């Protein structure tokens, strides 16, 4: 099973700042199989990025994804108040799916 | 517009059984990859099971042999039959629709509480 480790666990930033979230895999993951989700309290997750770098429908271009192999990054270029939430990376491999433990992005 | 509405959650004793339903509209369940994902209170997301458009099914090790995913084409509904429930199965269960590798659309979730 591929284990995804996200860092940091909590990120405290102010609106307008840049956020960089990391997702590290225990073994190499195809870029096609890496996704990022945003989840706000009491809500279902929302797909942000798929294929490591492609934005899902309706996702603002301040969100971007990058990386390959075992290291992937989600970047939010300029934080808006609605961006403060928990972010999860997720991978697919051999008909199994795993999530990272999440990064909480909080207002500083 | 795609809608996913889960139901069937509730309070159940350890060892009991429960069947969750996910009624879909705006698309055909049998033509899509459909999954169940759960989230214990205050915890992260955990994938539970998937049914591919071709009918193949897969499960997380934590539920293999106890849970069964299925679909009813006539009702355009996804199911999760959960047997031999354990305390650690307590969670909000989401159904989700997507491609093979990730999920675009999610329901609002249904809460399953396993407790004596």
């Amino acid at each position: 099973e591929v284990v995804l480790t996200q860092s940091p666990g909590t990120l405290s930033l102010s609106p307008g700042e840049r956020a960089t979230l990391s997702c590290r895999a225990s073994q190499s993951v195809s870029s096609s199989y890496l996704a990022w989700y945003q989840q706000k309290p009491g809500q279902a997750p929302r797909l942000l990025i798929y294929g490591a770098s492609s934005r899902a429908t309706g996702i603002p271009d301040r969100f971007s994804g990058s990386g390959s192999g075992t290291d992937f990054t989600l970047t939010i270029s300029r934080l808006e108040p609605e961006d403060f939430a928990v972010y999860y990376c997720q991978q697919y491999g051999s008909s199994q799916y795993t999530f990272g433990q999440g990064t909480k992005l909080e207002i500083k | 517009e795609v809608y996913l509405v889960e139901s069937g959650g509730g309070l159940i004793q350890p060892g009991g059984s429960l069947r969750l339903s996910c009624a879909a509209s705006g698309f055909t369940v049998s033509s899509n990859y459909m999954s169940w994902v759960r989230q214990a209170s205050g915890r992260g997301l955990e994938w539970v099971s998937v049914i591919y458009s071709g009918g193949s099914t897969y499960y997380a090790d934590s539920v293999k042999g106890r849970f069964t995913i299925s679909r009813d084409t006539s009702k355009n509904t996804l199911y999760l039959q959960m047997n031999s429930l354990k305390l650690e199965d307590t969670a909000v269960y989401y159904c989700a629709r997507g491609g093979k590798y990730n999920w675009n659309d999610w329901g609002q979730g249904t809460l399953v509480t396993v407790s004596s």
Side-chain angles (χ1 to χ4, degrees):
Chain A
E1 174 184 300
V2 176
V3 177
L4 298 177
T5 302
Q6 293 185 239
S7 61
T10 301
L11 185 57
S12 299
L13 293 170
S14 300
E17 292 192 292
R18 180 185 186 90
T20 302
L21 287 67
S22 173
C23 176
R24 179 161 290 178
S26 59
Q27 57 188 275
S28 185
V29 173
S30 168
S31 295
S32 299
Y33 302 164
L34 196 286
W36 290 91
Y37 298 84
Q38 176 194 68
Q39 188 179 34
K40 297 179 180 179
Q43 296 184 17
R46 177 173 72 146
L47 179 66
L48 297 175
I49 301 288
Y50 65 94
S53 60
S54 297
R55 274 187 300 277
T57 302
I59 301 303
D61 60 8
R62 64 180 182 273
F63 290 90
S64 63
S66 63
S68 63
T70 59
D71 289 296
F72 297 89
T73 300
L74 174 70
T75 301
I76 310 172
S77 59
R78 286 180 56 86
L79 285 166
E80 297 288 342
E82 62 267 27
D83 297 337
F84 292 91
V86 179
Y87 292 83
Y88 295 95
C89 57
Q90 172 255 319
Q91 71 85 37
Y92 161 87
S94 302
S95 301
Q96 299 284 303
Y97 306 78
T98 55
F99 289 91
Q101 82 282 12
T103 289
K104 182 179 181 180
L105 179 56
E106 65 177 24
I107 299 176
K108 187 174 182 179
Chain B
E1 186 89 30
V2 170
Y3 289 101
L4 296 165
V5 180
E6 302 96 335
S7 60
L11 176 62
I12 188 76
Q13 292 188 334
S17 297
L18 210 55
R19 188 179 79 159
L20 305 183
S21 300
C22 173
S25 58
F27 71 99
T28 302
V29 164
S30 60
S31 298
N32 283 263
Y33 294 82
M34 300 293 299
S35 277
W36 289 95
V37 175
R38 68 184 180 184
Q39 185 171 36
S41 180
R43 305 292 296 274
L45 300 167
E46 180 188 17
W47 170 74
V48 172
S49 181
V50 64
I51 183 166
Y52 288 173
S53 53
S56 298
T57 59
Y58 300 92
Y59 301 90
D61 288 344
S62 58
V63 306
K64 197 174 297 182
R66 300 188 298 123
F67 290 12
T68 303
I69 191 171
S70 64
R71 64 195 181 196
D72 185 326
T73 302
S74 65
K75 296 182 178 179
N76 208 33
T77 298
L78 178 73
Y79 299 102
L80 186 68
Q81 178 66 43
M82 304 186 296
N83 298 331
S84 303
L85 281 160
K86 304 176 180 180
L87 296 175
E88 54 264 39
D89 295 319
T90 294
V92 173
Y93 285 73
Y94 296 101
C95 70
R97 169 230 187 192
K100 188 173 183 179
Y101 311 134
N102 47 65
W103 305 284
N104 305 75
D105 302 297
W106 298 67
Q108 84 292 346
T110 187
L111 177 62
V112 173
T113 303
V114 184
S115 175
S116 55

